[in-house]
Amino acid sequence: MTAAIHLYRTLTQAASPFLGGVMKRRARAGKEDYGRINERLARNMPRRMPGGTLVWLHGASVGESQLLLELGQRLLEKRPDLLLLFTSQTQTSARLLGPALPDRAIHLMAPLDTPAIARRFIRHWQPDLCIFGEGEFWPNLILEAEKAGAKRALVNGRMTDSSAEGWQKLSGAFQRLVGQFDVVLAADTDTARRLETLLGQPVQSTGNMKSALPPPSASEVETRRLRENFLGTRRCVLAASTHDGEEAVFLDALKGDEDTALIIAPRHPDRGNAIESLLKSRGLPLARRSRGETPTPRTRVLLADTMGEMGLWYRLADSVFLGGGHAEGVGGHNPLEPVRLGRPVVTGPEVFNFATIMDDLEQRGLIRRLKTPKAIGKALLTMDPPAPEALAELNEAADAPMTVTLEALLPLLPEPGLLQ
């Protein structure tokens, strides 16, 4: 054990007596669910189903959780005997995962990473395989899983230059934690290069697994109702997954185009009040989805501050402004969902988390990265939908990262029926 890991374990153990109070304060602030604090502390957990091979899949928030949900479903197709345990950090991801779970799967809020909590969690669930999505490196949980003899895998690994520089100062700790994984797969060649430098061993780049995620679904009845009652004959432009400040960019881009219906679907719906204030300050007639307000042809903006309805908004839109590219430190969002639904997409220039995908899609003529409101507005109103041939080529290549990842993970699982 390196000095850095020893120090981390000591500090997290010292913090343990105070975590119950910290969780309650976070719950009062709306950052935790009171009813799920025990899950964060690995107490009073559901019983583990007897028998079966258990795969634990952990991701931080919505994006990683959606990816791991698809991966889990693919694993079940190959191995129907598996038990799946999903964990995530945020309430938003929990709300999305809950109703979407397949049979033989449960979701818990992720345990806090102290030695005692990690030990209780691993001993209770006894996972056979632990899958960490993108960049979730929690030392105590990783070490306890190793002690228990569980296989460990990093899938769709993503690491920025700044993260790599930070880990370089703790390279011994990183090698001790991640260098012992049974499988390490990177989402792009840049991350693979950074991981190879840190680990001193080859790392395979599979491509971003998010390319394999199916577009979100939507009710045909609700889509038709909103087209008739809200859009009418108007063009519709969607601002999807926006962050603070990006709604203003979007509104500036379409200022003066009074005949276009607008939908704003923020990345974090709890920002609804702030966005409503912005819209009112600009004198824009709005309807707020979270309050059940019904938009009419006189409504300029539908504030879609709800979860799980992005498929509906994409289908209503003629073009999409994708957030995350104008918000400092965010690094963009996955553009594949609206593109695969045949929508022209404009995003901002700061998309380092999806650089490889963005480069590829821009070369195919499927997205544009623009900075100024004037350029964004012009593109949103004039871009043509993706050509069918371009979409066909994209869809053909989309599943490859998921296929390669499954091929790497399946050999880590014990054969059905073998005693663990």
Side-chain angles (χ1 to χ4, degrees):
M1 185 180 301
T2 69
I5 294 176
H6 179 74
L7 178 61
Y8 177 85
R9 286 176 65 82
T10 300
L11 292 175
T12 51
Q13 184 61 45
S16 295
F18 308 101
L19 292 178
V22 170
M23 288 293 103
K24 290 177 182 178
R25 285 194 294 274
R26 285 177 57 83
R28 285 194 293 270
K31 297 178 180 179
E32 298 283 345
D33 183 340
Y34 266 114
R36 307 192 75 168
I37 288 177
N38 274 332
E39 294 175 22
R40 301 285 271 150
L41 302 175
R43 295 189 183 280
N44 300 325
M45 292 176 286
R47 291 183 61 186
R48 186 194 193 281
M49 291 176 63
T53 296
L54 189 138
V55 178
W56 168 36
L57 304 99
H58 174 67
S61 57
V62 173
E64 297 92 332
S65 297
Q66 290 175 323
L67 181 149
L68 292 175
L69 178 63
E70 178 69 16
L71 177 61
Q73 291 170 332
R74 300 283 190 103
L75 284 169
L76 281 175
E77 290 173 7
K78 299 288 187 180
R79 289 284 303 272
D81 61 301
L82 296 180
L83 309 173
L84 303 183
L85 168 64
F86 293 91
T87 59
S88 61
Q89 305 277 106
T90 67
Q91 295 183 71
T92 302
S93 60
R95 288 193 291 269
L96 281 176
L97 275 175
L101 291 175
D103 293 339
R104 300 177 66 81
I106 65 170
H107 171 265
L108 296 177
M109 298 304 295
L112 298 173
D113 194 48
T114 74
I117 292 174
R119 191 175 306 117
R120 281 200 300 271
F121 179 85
I122 295 296
R123 286 180 177 177
H124 179 85
W125 292 108
Q126 302 173 42
D128 296 279
L129 171 60
C130 309
I131 300 175
F132 300 94
E134 301 204 353
E136 287 297 288
F137 307 125
W138 294 103
N140 290 314
L141 285 163
I142 290 171
L143 291 172
E144 292 299 328
E146 180 184 348
K147 287 181 188 176
K151 302 289 187 180
R152 285 142 290 136
L154 170 66
V155 301
N156 214 56
R158 294 197 299 162
M159 181 177 286
T160 63
D161 272 330
S162 58
S163 294
E165 289 171 6
W167 276 114
Q168 194 64 53
K169 299 171 185 175
L170 300 168
S171 58
F174 192 84
Q175 290 175 7
R176 172 65 187 86
L177 294 171
V178 183
Q180 305 298 315
F181 276 28
D182 299 276
V183 166
V184 176
L185 301 173
D188 54 75
T189 54
D190 287 339
T191 293
R193 173 179 50 79
R194 293 169 189 136
L195 288 172
E196 286 178 348
T197 300
L198 285 168
L199 297 175
Q201 62 189 47
V203 172
Q204 181 180 4
S205 171
T206 62
N208 198 316
M209 288 168 61
K210 288 180 178 177
S211 67
L213 295 180
S217 61
S219 162
E220 291 184 10
V221 173
E222 184 67 358
T223 303
R224 185 169 58 252
R225 187 182 74 84
L226 284 168
R227 283 193 186 281
E228 294 172 353
N229 298 334
F230 170 44
L231 301 185
T233 60
R234 293 185 294 176
R235 182 181 181 88
C236 178
V237 182
L238 164 67
S241 297
T242 52
H243 295 258
D244 185 26
E246 292 187 317
E247 294 86 14
V249 173
F250 175 67
L251 295 175
D252 288 343
L254 295 164
K255 189 176 182 179
D257 190 352
E258 306 298 332
D259 295 329
T260 299
L262 308 179
I263 301 174
I264 297 177
R267 183 71 170 182
H268 303 290
D270 57 6
R271 295 184 51 246
N273 289 341
I275 300 169
E276 181 178 12
S277 296
L278 172 66
L279 295 173
K280 287 182 175 179
S281 73
R282 298 197 178 205
L284 297 171
L286 70 114
R288 192 163 169 181
R289 182 74 167 179
S290 65
R291 288 204 291 254
E293 297 171 353
T294 302
T296 72
R298 292 183 296 277
T299 303
R300 180 75 198 288
V301 184
L302 172 58
L303 175 50
D305 55 337
T306 54
M307 293 299 302
E309 296 191 290
M310 195 59 77
L312 175 60
W313 313 135
Y314 283 144
R315 284 168 174 81
L316 290 172
D318 293 292
S319 57
V320 176
F321 169 71
L322 184 63
H326 287 85
E328 185 176 354
V330 174
H333 290 302
N334 181 13
L336 286 164
E337 290 180 349
V339 168
R340 293 179 75 178
L341 285 170
R343 302 304 183 258
V345 175
V346 177
T347 191
E350 301 299 321
V351 290
F352 51 83
N353 278 329
F354 293 89
T356 302
I357 288 178
M358 295 289 188
D359 289 342
D360 178 58
L361 292 179
E362 196 161 40
Q363 289 172 8
R364 295 171 187 259
L366 298 175
I367 67 162
R368 295 185 67 183
R369 287 179 283 193
L370 300 171
K371 186 174 184 179
T372 67
K374 182 178 180 180
I376 292 167
K378 182 179 180 181
L380 288 171
L381 296 175
T382 61
M383 285 177 67
D384 293 323
E389 315 83 68
L391 285 180
E393 291 176 4
L394 179 66
N395 290 331
E396 187 175 341
D399 212 49
M402 184 69 71
T403 300
V404 173
T405 300
L406 284 170
E407 290 173 350
L409 294 177
L410 287 170
L412 302 182
L413 298 170
E415 292 295 325
L418 294 181
L419 293 177
Q420 308 299 306

